[in-house]
Amino acid sequence: MTLDSLLFQAINGLSSASGLFFIAVGLSLIFGVTRIINLAHGSLYMMGTYIAYSFATKIGGVIGFWGGILATAIIVGCIGALIEILLLRRIYRAPELFQLLATFALVLVFNDMTHWIWGSEDLLGPRAPGLAGSVELLGRRLPSYDLFLALAGPVVLLILHFTLKLTRFGRLIRAATQDREMVGALGVNQAVLFTSVFALGAALAGLGGALQVAREPATLATDLIALGDAFVVVVVGGMGSITGAYLAAVIIAEVKALCIGIGVVNLGGISVNFSKFTLVAEFLVMAIVLIVRPYGLLGKPQGAVRSIAEPEEPIRAATPMLKLLAAVVLGLLLFLPVLAQSSPYLMILGIDVLIAVIFATSLHFIMGPGGMHSFGHAAYFGLGAYGAALLVKWLAVPMGFALAAAPLVALAGALLFGWFAVRLSGVYLAMLTLAFAQIVWAAVFQWEGFTGGSNGVIGVWPKPPFNQGWAFFLLTLALATVAVLVLRRVLFAPFGYAMRAGRDSPLRAEAIGIDVKRIHWLAFAIAGCICGVAGGLFAFAKGSISPESIHVGRSIDGLVMVLLGGIQTLTGPIVGASVFALLQDTIMRQTEYWRALLGAVILVLVLAFPSGIVGAFSNLWRRWRGAS
Amino acid sequence: MSVLAVRQLSKAFGGVRAVNDVSFAIGAGEFLAMIGPNGAGKSTCFNMINGQLAPDSGAILLGDRNIAGMAPRAIWRLGVGRTFQVAATFASMTVVENVQMALLSYAGDLYRLWRPAAALHRARALELLAQVGMQDAADRPSRELAYGDVKRVELAIALANEPRLLLMDEPTAGMAPRERNDLIKLVKQLVLERGISVLFTEHSMDVVFSFADRIIVLARGRLIADGNAAAIRENTQVREVYFGTGKTFADGTSQGAAP
Amino acid sequence: MSAAMLTVEGLSAWYGAARILYDLNFEVGRGEVVALMGRNGAGKSTTMKTIMGLIPQREGAVRFEGTDIARMRPFEIARLGLGFTPEDRRIFADLTVLENLDIGRQPPRQFPDGTPAPLWTPERLFALFPNLAEMPHRLGGRMSGGEQQMLTVARTLMGNPLLVLLDEPSEGVAPLIVEQMAATIVELKKTGLSILLSEQNIHFARLVADRVYVLEKGQIHWQGTMAQLADNLEVQRAYLTV
């Protein structure tokens, strides 16, 4: 590799940086003013590419291409305004997590909608009229369109910067970023401000997506990839800082370009292909920045979010009623294999539900009492599953050994990732946990020789007698019961109290000698370890494990389960996981558009049951008792 | 022998000297008030003593140990209790659990994973609550308490580690005058019984003049006066930067209703 | 007392299930300074936020210049000429003094009888608050508590209000600043502005207020002129002080 080729890659990197900037800057602006992380931002970007493709191919020519790009930005901006008016306006006062879920529901709906309109084939747009050629640079040919993109980013940055600095609209955005309620009390119509900021952010995403039309094909996988990129850029640059977003976009794009530029290198006899590490490199940059500057390069510490969720009741030991109920449910479950003799599917369903219960209960442990909203719980599920499966594949260990090792592998991962994660809070923690889960996923996906890459590991079948559905079900039931009881016991022990103390008031907790970070770190590790049990069981239940089953979707499923049950109750995750797993296995798989269906379910849930199923019932119960 | 001695303490933020070469000491059992205009450096000074901030230079001697730059939790373990300007309790716990939490920490029980916490140290926690007059509310959720009662619970928490020194940041902020006096009387009685020294900041001059043994005054990051109530009241520099004419706080000197 | 600018009838408010205000009735006349007094937690701040539309769960009638504002949103209320200065100041820390003032800017306004309301510009406000004049480009977050207190009042005045809700202007600032605030309120009254003040400090209230409503646990327990309250040690003892 020569200096010239490195320099060439660096310039090429700047055009990628512009792309990253367009995705991230809108997310950052929207978050600043509305305090909502718009998970559907990647979907807006993706739709931008598709819409621009239609303009460029249906109308064609200069007008179809360049006019189409502008029209796309406007159309996507209007979609953004509609999202704000129809959905977000109803949930500004809801807890942060609900807002995240609602926007994730949109991701699912938009993905199926795009699929329905444009089909599942990748669509490559035409070359840009007027910029189809290339320029000679350092003895290589650089497409002129890339050069145009490299310049487009800084131009938009400058326009945005001066808009924020010099116009009243910009001042209002900056003021609302700090205290939107006060801006309203000073006579500014927040609704209009919010809608216009959302439309602006969406239009920028649409523009970014549209500009890619001449460079990359439109695909249905773009939404989550773009979202992941946007997260990294925003977190590295600092929430709400547009200059930070550009800076971060440049750093990340250059690190990636460097990885590609270095290519295959011989390190002490082992040849390492650096160009395969781009995904990992991106998340490593993020991890490093967050450790050195927890609020990003140009970000500021977040003011405490004015929480409107009702405060939690003190935890109480289980009432005799609840204990009886638990015993009855357990009894019924023990009896289930007898009932299921005629329908083996019932056993599979039961196993899925129980694995979901372990997964959701362990997530709730850190989310509820710990206050750490992890968006990457799939990582520990994946570590458990792959840990067990790879031990079987490479060392042919017995099932008992593999199942025992699963939580230990997950524990090791949770100890490592948790150490970083507990240094942050709120949305930053959510994004970092998501990034770590992406690292695990990327490692599994890219390390083909060891993990089987996209094919995964197959042939992980349980040994007799557990190859019988009923026996594996009973094993799963036993482990799930133990996991739930252990987590519950810990919550009632001094450690669980200390964990809640650190969540309720970190300042007070530190002032009475509690090392909050350490407590939360260990809690994170415990949750990861228990989650590993679920992963191990999953691998044996399915006989295989693939990257697909540990993708970001699984992390989100966990969140839906916990919120479905209600985060403030200890029984909530059990109910939520059961309902979700049943729904997923029975109804969802019946239709091709199950994503949209799941999205609709989430939206109904968020809008109708803001305190979850168990929460809604206990509210009803309280009201009923209060009335009589 | 002083319980706490602050020596030449300084701290700057972006070129502005928030605290500039401040020295003072607190004797055993002394009730010392720190007053001064907003932005005088009181909070900065306070936060360096309790470990929230690390000083740029200077020493903070607790007995003969320099605690400058130590973490809040380490300073707490050396016997420094603390209350906050905006009372902070654990909202998801009952009143008695709040006090138990401090006792669990003091006893080194935090990492116990198995025995239910509800029964641990409960008797001692109830005893502490009785001393601040809150035993009847022991099993109520702490978030339901009136603000004045939260302040009392906070006091019980602060006494859990049998401190030598109590740091109170605006202990009566947000309370009505009668509640203020009741709370400070209670604090005074409790610390006298135990021989605890108290350093507090306060804007209510009625409280300061009625209860402080000694007063130190900060202005623009510097210590400008150190003395008893009478001396501070008469100090012309303090009048100029802080008290004004006194008509908004001192009964008797006010000149009637609106002009 | 002149015709009422603000009339509150049967006002109640809730935080979740907890009822905070019970059936409040009071009014503020044009050019009047009225103090809501009572202990912390008596409901003074909640009353102000409820009038301003910041507490969603509310009942009862609030009339401002004859318009029922009880169901309006905060920005609509502000645009009628009702200014709000919150207890915790809520200065925009990343904006300069001038930018903070700009956020509060609203068009000139008239009283119902056609007389123009005082028109505020940054220059006029700098004359009223000389401290602010020294730092037009300072970031809000870099100001002392007393300076922020002045800025929050100035920012509200930029909306050319007819009536200002002033929440605890003397809380948590040094006696010297409290005195300046009192002088400012007296100045503002002279311009014809009406003020509803919440206050715990009777010494301060005596310097500025015409009439007083005493609140306790979300209910009005006493009302009268400032002079009557000053003489009524029984009420002072029961609801306010020593």
Side-chain angles (χ1 to χ4, degrees), chain A residues 553-575:
Chain A
R554 182 164 299 273
S555 297
I556 304 287
D557 287 353
L559 290 169
V560 177
M561 291 174 199
V562 170
L563 294 176
L564 192 62
I567 194 168
Q568 298 194 337
T569 52
L570 301 183
T571 41
I574 301 173
V575 176

Side-chain angles (χ1 to χ4, degrees), chain C residues 61 95 214:
Chain C
L95 272 62
V214 174

Side-chain angles (χ1 to χ4, degrees), chain B residues 37-39 147 173-178 180-181 203 205 240-249 251 254 256-259, chain C residues 39-40 89 144-146 171-179 182 186 200-201 203-204 206-209 226 237-238 240-242:
Chain B
N38 302 86
Y147 194 64
M175 301 175 88
R178 185 164 59 184
R180 290 185 179 186
N181 281 328
H203 269 311
M205 290 306 116
E240 207 170 286
V241 302
Y242 188 52
F243 292 153
T245 61
K247 63 184 167 189
T248 59
F249 62 88
D251 238 341
S254 63
Chain C
R39 299 199 177 95
N40 196 281
R89 301 176 195 130
S144 76
E171 172 68 25
V173 289
L176 194 65
I177 307 280
V178 176
E179 254 173 52
V186 172
Q200 300 194 39
N201 178 344
H203 307 302
F204 179 78
R206 282 176 77 166
L207 295 175
V208 298
M226 188 68 233
R237 205 170 298 127
L240 300 170
T241 48
V242 283

Side-chain angles (χ1 to χ4, degrees), chain A residues 93 165 168 171-172 174-176 178-191 300 306 310, chain C residues 52 54 56 73-75 78-79 84 86 88 90-95 99 102-106 155-156:
Chain A
R93 288 176 169 271
K165 194 86 196 161
R168 180 165 162 90
R171 277 193 287 273
L172 287 176
R174 282 156 59 216
Q178 285 169 59
D179 191 342
R180 50 203 159 121
E181 193 185 65
M182 191 64 223
V183 171
L186 287 168
V188 176
N189 187 347
Q190 291 179 76
K300 295 209 177 69
R306 281 164 201 260
E310 284 198 35
Chain C
M52 205 57 213
L54 295 169
R73 285 176 291 170
F75 83 93
R79 287 182 180 182
F84 173 55
D88 47 357
R90 298 170 76 166
I91 291 301
F92 304 116
D94 287 343
L95 272 62
E99 287 175 333
D102 181 65
I103 300 294
R105 197 182 72 209
Q106 286 187 56
R155 186 178 62 182
T156 305

Side-chain angles (χ1 to χ4, degrees), chain A residues 68 248 373 492 627:
Chain A
H373 298 168
F492 281 92

Side-chain angles (χ1 to χ4, degrees), chain A residues 60 102 241 313 362 546:
Chain A
S241 164
E313 291 288 321
S362 65
S546 69

